[in-house]
Amino acid sequence: MKDATKCLHAGYTPKNSEPRVVPIVQSTTYVYDTTAEVAAVFDDPTKSLIYSRFANPTVMAVEEKIAELEGGVGAMCTSSGQAASLLSVLNLCDAGDSFISSTEIYGGTVNLFAFTLKKLGIECIWVDKNASDEEIAKAFKPNTKLVFGETIANPALTVFDIERFAKIAHDHNVPLIIDNTFATPVLCKPFEFGADIVVHSTTKYMDGHAVQGGGVIVDSGKFDWTKGNFPGLTEPDESYHGITYTDTYGDAAYIIKARMQLMRDFGTYPAAHSAFLLNLGLETLEVRMKQYCENALTVAKYLEKNDLVESITYPGLESDPGYELGKKYLKGCSGVISFVMKGGKEKAMNFMDSLKLASNEVHVADIRTCVLHPASETHRQLTDEQLVAAGIEPGMIRLSVGLEDVDDILADLEQAFDKIR
Ligand SMILES: *Cc1c(COP(=O)(O)O)cnc(C)c1O
């Protein structure tokens, strides 16, 4: 099936007389005829349902759909994108371990990696995405367990060279984890370029309608954990009656460990109703992504010519430093544009306050056009140095182009420019 078809049909195929739409299974638990059957389920919880803290049929239908869209062997939904990033790392790193991350990633992930994981004894080693192969290789330590990057960085909008980083990671026997939130599997399938694990904030384009927060981890099933130093996967798990994930679950070891161990213990699983709403968004993901890309490219070309705009970042523009990588990795550059206003922070804020159609909100990838000022909003916890490392300037505006008629979006921008001129 092609993506548009998968968006509608993957993950749920009703049998004779069953509901057409994925049903909301609003139950915390599941009934069995005998005690022996319940006992057997505990021996292999991947075979049947136990409890909705780590598995629910509505959520599992969505997991299956996303796994098929990404081309992975399995997926696990989480209650937020942050939970997905957290668990994707904790599934490989223990206290005393380290991992490598590109500096150009989402601000919330920077906080998680730089501060919260540090408190748990896990060190994040930051690398510049433009560093040479040799420099990146030097960043590895014997305890380094993974490399992390974002396909299209939020909000820097740089394109990550997935193939190059996958090769460097694999040369060191560690996997590459890609946050594919902005691209979605419709615009980029990181597994095709060598990534091993993908995470998403489904809160963004996948949901698309700004109704439901969520996240997901997808496993390509391609990384050979037995070749690296991953005792959590290749040695018996004391907390699960001595199961060895790679022996018992083969290709799906990573994603099953994430569920059986981490989801069991942290419980950041979405509710059935949340998954139902996410599924509604996913059903139209393919058609929406095409239109976001088309609208955003038109808006980007308009902004590029505007005399009040100092610079613009949108990898779909030929003048953009990310254009070549974008051509290689992306079928379109998403709806998100960032641009820097002449006159800095104050001008940027005045411009944003003058918009009528586009709303001022802490969100991105909404179906409606919206704007955000990273330096004073999402990234205000970062130091000036971290802001620069994350590619953020004081006058930068992040514009998330929605699915309104593009003429109306352009007219709104034009009247706001006129007001501050
Ligand atoms: C929003 C976002 C996250 C965090 O997701 P939440 O659903 O807000 O927890 C992670 N990565 C990227 C790229 C994001 O845009």
Side-chain angles (χ1 to χ4, degrees):
M1 287 192 286
K2 296 265 183 18
D3 283 350
T5 317
K6 284 183 189 168
C7 283
L8 289 162
H9 294 280
Y12 177 68
T13 311
K15 298 192 198 75
N16 190 36
S17 86
E18 285 182 352
R20 173 60 274 184
V21 177
V22 178
I24 302 175
V25 179
Q26 194 67 52
S27 180
T28 55
T29 190
Y30 311 90
V31 178
Y32 292 90
D33 287 340
T34 65
T35 325
E37 277 172 274
V38 180
V41 174
F42 271 92
D43 280 339
D44 190 351
T46 59
K47 293 280 188 313
S48 290
L49 294 155
I50 304 181
Y51 188 54
S52 289
R53 193 199 311 133
F54 40 82
N56 167 281
T58 313
V59 185
M60 287 162 88
V62 175
E63 288 167 341
E64 177 63 34
K65 178 175 285 187
I66 297 172
E68 286 192 34
L69 280 165
E70 285 287 7
V73 292
M76 180 178 79
C77 282
T78 55
S79 51
S80 68
Q82 287 297 101
S85 303
L86 170 70
L87 297 190
S88 75
V89 173
L90 288 187
N91 208 26
L92 299 175
C93 292
D94 295 331
D97 286 337
S98 69
F99 67 101
I100 289 174
S101 174
S102 162
T103 51
E104 288 183 2
I105 57 170
Y106 174 63
T109 317
V110 173
N111 282 332
L112 170 67
F113 287 180
F115 301 103
T116 303
L117 286 182
K118 190 174 169 193
K119 286 185 201 154
L120 300 182
I122 298 168
E123 181 198 7
C124 178
I125 302 163
W126 300 99
V127 300
D128 188 296
K129 69 166 197 335
N130 295 322
S132 68
D133 290 5
E134 295 70 37
E135 281 172 306
I136 298 164
K138 272 196 215 134
F140 281 84
K141 295 181 179 178
N143 67 2
T144 298
K145 295 298 171 77
L146 63 98
V147 176
F148 191 99
E150 255 173 58
T151 313
I152 305 176
N154 174 11
L157 301 185
T158 47
V159 183
F160 193 68
D161 195 345
I162 300 173
E163 218 162 53
R164 181 165 88 96
F165 277 82
K167 184 175 181 307
I168 298 170
H170 296 163
D171 285 347
H172 292 83
N173 292 320
V174 303
L176 175 65
I177 301 185
I178 290 292
D179 182 335
N180 198 32
T181 298
F182 272 17
T184 82
V186 171
L187 303 182
C188 177
K189 294 190 201 303
F191 297 156
E192 291 176 359
F193 300 102
D196 304 285
I197 307 293
V198 157
V199 295
H200 286 275
S201 165
T202 63
T203 317
K204 312 295 163 52
Y205 286 116
M206 284 189 169
D207 167 87
H209 298 73
V211 293
Q212 190 60 57
V216 67
I217 305 175
V218 192
D219 184 355
S220 70
K222 287 189 199 140
F223 192 81
D224 185 354
W225 306 104
T226 61
K227 290 231 176 83
N229 177 22
F230 298 99
L233 282 148
T234 58
E235 287 172 19
D237 178 359
E238 270 182 79
S239 79
Y240 227 107
H241 47 69
I243 209 163
T244 298
Y245 294 102
T246 43
D247 288 352
T248 311
Y249 297 111
D251 287 355
Y254 174 92
I255 201 69
I256 288 177
K257 173 178 178 283
R259 190 186 300 272
M260 285 171 62
Q261 193 186 67
L262 298 184
M263 195 55 88
R264 176 198 65 190
D265 294 353
F266 290 104
T268 58
Y269 205 57
H273 189 252
S274 308
F276 177 83
L277 293 173
L278 171 58
N279 189 51
L280 289 182
L282 285 169
E283 287 181 336
T284 58
L285 184 68
E286 205 267 353
V287 278
R288 283 189 293 111
M289 289 317 292
K290 279 187 194 152
Q291 192 62 43
Y292 284 119
C293 295
E294 195 182 308
N295 283 4
L297 186 60
T298 308
V299 171
K301 285 180 176 161
Y302 160 82
L303 290 172
E304 192 178 29
K305 288 199 219 97
N306 196 297
D307 60 333
L308 293 177
V309 173
E310 189 173 287
S311 64
I312 170 165
T313 307
Y314 185 68
L317 292 173
E318 277 178 51
S319 57
D320 192 276
Y323 182 72
E324 289 303 322
L325 283 178
K327 265 208 312 206
K328 171 169 177 181
Y329 291 110
L330 304 168
K331 278 196 198 148
C333 296
S334 90
V336 190
I337 296 171
S338 76
F339 63 99
V340 179
M341 293 287 294
K342 283 188 186 151
K345 186 169 172 175
E346 207 166 317
K347 236 356 181 214
M349 290 166 97
N350 286 344
F351 172 79
M352 287 171 61
D353 292 344
S354 306
L355 291 164
K356 289 180 179 157
L357 183 68
S359 46
N360 224 311
E361 62 187 50
V362 181
H363 198 39
V364 67
D366 190 351
I367 200 161
R368 292 147 288 243
T369 297
C370 58
V371 283
L372 184 147
H373 187 233
S376 68
E377 297 170 6
T378 45
H379 289 65
R380 67 182 294 123
Q381 281 98 345
L382 303 195
T383 63
D384 287 353
E385 282 121 53
Q386 284 173 322
L387 280 176
V388 172
I392 295 156
E393 294 186 47
M396 184 198 269
I397 293 173
R398 192 181 63 187
L399 169 65
S400 175
V401 178
L403 299 187
E404 298 92 347
D405 191 294
V406 73
D407 290 344
D408 292 326
I409 300 171
L410 293 173
D412 188 36
L413 296 170
E414 184 78 12
Q415 65 81 28
F417 280 123
D418 285 346
K419 268 200 200 125
I420 61 155
R421 202 174 285 277

